[in-house]
Amino acid sequence: MPQGVPDNVPADGLTTRQRRNQPVLAVHTGDGKGKSTAAFGMAMRAWNAGLRVAVFQFVKSAKWKVGEESVMLSLDEVHRQTGNGAPVEWHKMGQGWSWLRANAEHADDHAAAAQAGWAEISRRIADEQHDFYVLDEFTYPLDWGWVDTAEVVATLRDRPGRQHVVITGRRAPSELIAAADLVTEMRKVAHPMDAGRKGQKGIEW
Amino acid sequence: MPQGVPDNVPADGLTTRQRRNQPVLAVHTGDGKGKSTAAFGMAMRAWNAGLRVAVFQFVKSAKWKVGEESVMLSLDEVHRQTGNGAPVEWHKMGQGWSWLRANAEHADDHAAAAQAGWAEISRRIADEQHDFYVLDEFTYPLDWGWVDTAEVVATLRDRPGRQHVVITGRRAPSELIAAADLVTEMRKVAHPMDAGRKGQKGIEW
């Protein structure tokens, strides 16, 4: 489909090239499927373009998305062996963030764990440690007030260099949506769960 | 998010296991981003679960999605070298379907090319050649009447074994939506193109 022609050109004094190279903040929200899946699809593409990818999963259960994790770590291995693509890191809150000494540190405090996750991401953004961040299901700690949305928006708005960020989850706060360059709402039209089916390996996870 | 518990259980006489193992027909439609990207994310996950993946791109231009193609073919290579995952095939209409002797056969006839693509997919479905099919942007030849929607729906409805199919594109015909198990509408909320930016490598393709 013709995606190469912008609808209009803003009077922002930037050249097309400068505008093209601006980092993107994307939000995938809504009640439908595909929010995380599309984010991982974008991460695949970023990896192929040589962007250093880091995924941060803001869920306590690590049961879901093991398939995506396994594929992304396969791509990291491909990079190590062939030089194609780029490094990939995958961090999850579910088992305690991997960079923490004591994995059980926040075992009973989901809010503290989410705050520790954001603090680390914030440091990495300041250091320009990665080129493409997936903050998976990060809208929930924002929605629940565990992590301060205004601080997140300010940090993302002022982030240095050219770091792309994709945030997924339902109920994205309106301040976050206002700050994003690309917001897609995944709307559920029909789902096998409605017909009494449970998820199945390879399809749902 | 709790996705394991169905909202209700139908009186279809099937066990949970039988119901769980039913093949899925998914449609990603709507004007928003992420339709194809989420389909490729699902393909990643299917690959990881050992399902044989085949992608059929129903677009004449092969410029887009080279990143996804490259990653999926990397996964095919990973499978060949390590035995992990499963084989992946990627076919595109843009340069003439690879299984045709004369690539230029349908060079000037997009409708004939789309019909040839569907005829081949239909044969492969009859032979249960793959486990997970992505028919990317296949809604367009349906919408334009190049391929008969009723025939497609009948073939998919009666497909043998356990073959999953994901169809992407805007304006999915209502008969297709009615036949699908999982329909997600990607709705555009905001997009950098609106601010006069062109797509950028690693993000848009």
Side-chain angles (χ1 to χ4, degrees):
Chain A
M1 297 310 96
Q3 298 184 30
V5 183
D7 294 339
N8 57 72
V9 175
D12 55 11
L14 297 175
T15 65
T16 299
R17 188 185 180 84
Q18 286 169 328
R19 217 176 285 119
R20 167 177 288 202
N21 285 333
Q22 286 177 321
V24 168
L25 171 61
V27 175
H28 296 175
T29 193
D31 290 339
K33 304 282 288 181
K35 295 184 288 294
S36 299
T37 309
F40 296 129
M42 290 172 78
M44 257 170 56
R45 193 158 55 193
W47 173 87
N48 187 66
L51 306 189
R52 295 164 300 171
V53 172
V55 177
F56 300 85
Q57 273 193 287
F58 281 83
V59 283
K60 278 309 270 187
S61 161
K63 184 187 162 195
W64 300 93
K65 298 170 191 167
V66 288
E68 289 86 338
E69 180 181 2
S70 167
V71 173
M72 292 306 294
L73 296 180
S74 294
L75 294 178
D76 183 62
E77 191 61 31
V78 168
H79 172 68
R80 266 186 258 200
Q81 291 186 3
T82 67
N84 293 337
V88 180
E89 292 187 19
W90 187 290
H91 300 287
K92 45 186 184 256
M93 198 170 90
Q95 300 165 343
W97 297 111
S98 50
W99 59 78
L100 296 177
R101 277 158 205 272
N103 274 353
E105 200 172 320
H106 301 301
D108 297 323
D109 190 340
H110 299 191
Q115 284 155 17
W118 168 249
E120 174 71 15
I121 291 163
S122 182
R123 275 190 294 272
R124 291 180 181 219
I125 287 174
D127 292 346
E128 301 185 46
Q129 199 166 332
H130 310 285
D131 305 303
F132 191 97
Y133 299 74
V134 177
L135 312 191
D136 189 43
E137 309 210 6
F138 187 49
T139 56
Y140 301 100
L142 297 177
D143 184 48
W144 297 327
W146 292 350
V147 174
D148 184 52
T149 300
E151 195 219 309
V152 168
V153 167
T155 301
L156 293 175
R157 189 191 51 221
D158 301 334
R159 69 192 186 280
R162 190 169 166 222
Q163 303 177 83
H164 305 288
V165 180
V166 184
I167 296 176
T168 76
R170 300 179 187 205
R171 301 188 300 280
S174 54
E175 306 94 297
L176 180 66
I177 287 180
D181 306 294
L182 168 58
V183 180
T184 305
E185 179 195 346
M186 275 67 171
R187 203 171 69 79
K188 171 174 134 174
V189 179
H191 192 280
M193 303 292 287
D194 299 334
R197 288 202 225 167
K198 287 185 163 192
Q200 56 185 305
K201 182 162 161 60
I203 299 300
E204 297 282 337
W205 73 87
Chain B
M1 299 304 96
Q3 298 184 31
V5 183
D7 294 339
N8 57 71
V9 175
D12 55 11
L14 297 175
T15 64
T16 299
R17 188 186 181 83
Q18 286 170 328
R19 217 176 285 118
R20 167 176 291 202
N21 286 333
Q22 285 178 321
V24 168
L25 171 61
V27 175
H28 296 176
T29 192
D31 289 340
K33 304 281 289 181
K35 295 184 289 293
S36 298
T37 309
F40 296 129
M42 290 173 77
M44 256 170 57
R45 193 157 55 192
W47 173 87
N48 187 66
L51 306 189
R52 295 163 300 172
V53 172
V55 176
F56 299 86
Q57 273 193 286
F58 281 84
V59 282
K60 278 308 269 186
S61 162
K63 184 187 161 192
W64 301 91
K65 297 170 191 166
V66 288
E68 289 86 339
E69 179 180 4
S70 167
V71 172
M72 293 306 295
L73 296 180
S74 294
L75 294 177
D76 183 63
E77 191 60 31
V78 167
H79 172 69
R80 265 186 258 201
Q81 291 186 3
T82 68
N84 293 337
V88 180
E89 291 187 19
W90 187 290
H91 300 287
K92 45 185 184 258
M93 199 170 88
Q95 299 165 343
W97 299 109
S98 49
W99 61 77
L100 296 178
R101 275 159 207 272
N103 274 353
E105 200 171 321
H106 302 301
D108 297 322
D109 190 341
H110 299 189
Q115 285 156 16
W118 168 249
E120 174 71 15
I121 291 164
S122 181
R123 275 190 293 272
R124 291 179 181 218
I125 286 174
D127 292 346
E128 301 183 46
Q129 199 167 332
H130 311 284
D131 305 304
F132 190 96
Y133 298 73
V134 177
L135 312 191
D136 190 43
E137 310 210 6
F138 187 49
T139 57
Y140 301 101
L142 296 177
D143 184 47
W144 296 328
W146 292 351
V147 174
D148 184 53
T149 299
E151 194 220 309
V152 168
V153 167
T155 301
L156 293 176
R157 189 191 53 222
D158 301 334
R159 69 193 186 280
R162 190 169 166 221
Q163 302 177 84
H164 305 288
V165 180
V166 184
I167 296 176
T168 76
R170 300 177 187 208
R171 302 187 303 279
S174 55
E175 307 93 297
L176 180 66
I177 287 180
D181 306 296
L182 168 60
V183 180
T184 305
E185 180 195 346
M186 274 65 171
R187 202 171 70 81
K188 171 173 134 175
V189 179
H191 193 282
M193 301 293 286
D194 298 336
R197 289 201 225 167
K198 287 187 162 190
Q200 56 184 307
K201 182 161 160 65
I203 299 301
E204 299 282 336
W205 72 88

